[in-house]
Amino acid sequence: MSLYDKIFKPKVYKLSNGKLVYEKRSRMPFILSVLFIFSFISIKITGFSLSVLIKNFGEFFIILKEIFNPNLSYFKSVIEPLFDTIKMSFLGSFLGAFVAIFFPF
């Protein structure tokens, strides 16, 4: 029995044949409280401000416009590092798969 089940006792139902059935309590309140606590801590640490987010909301569409209308003059300087990154990912995947073959044995 887990600690959560010891703190929040399961509901007990008695069937007509006399057998007891235990229904565990939902863990959702615990999960939501932990999520709330970590969200609060991260907001305090990062200095997040909802008013700044609302005030600068128009910048979001400017950024989206720049994303969907890229400046292709950088393409020549980016293409080689892009292919290097793709080659590294293939090499890493291949090596990982190769090493993983021998672990089951």
Side-chain angles (χ1 to χ4, degrees):
M1 184 179 262
S2 69
L3 179 62
Y4 189 85
D5 292 330
K6 289 179 183 177
I7 295 171
F8 301 102
K9 304 281 186 205
K11 287 183 181 179
V12 180
Y13 296 103
K14 188 172 184 180
L15 300 179
S16 60
N17 62 1
K19 185 176 180 180
L20 296 176
V21 178
Y22 298 95
E23 178 185 7
K24 290 186 175 184
R25 300 284 180 160
S26 173
R27 286 172 167 60
M28 189 58 67
F30 175 72
I31 293 170
L32 288 177
S33 61
V34 169
L35 184 65
F36 177 76
I37 290 169
F38 283 130
S39 297
F40 181 76
I41 291 170
S42 67
I43 286 170
K44 287 297 181 187
I45 289 174
T46 60
F48 174 78
S49 173
L50 188 61
S51 62
V52 172
L53 185 66
I54 292 171
K55 183 176 75 173
N56 294 330
F57 187 72
E59 298 292 322
F60 174 72
F61 295 107
I62 294 172
I63 292 171
L64 278 180
K65 180 183 166 200
E66 292 293 323
I67 288 173
F68 291 112
N69 293 323
N71 184 355
L72 295 177
S73 64
Y74 295 112
F75 188 71
K76 289 181 182 177
S77 62
V78 172
I79 191 71
E80 188 175 338
L82 176 67
F83 280 129
D84 289 342
T85 304
I86 293 171
K87 289 187 283 188
M88 284 188 281
S89 67
F90 278 127
L91 179 63
S93 297
F94 175 75
L95 289 176
F98 183 74
V99 170
I101 290 173
F102 298 105
F103 272 105
F105 299 114

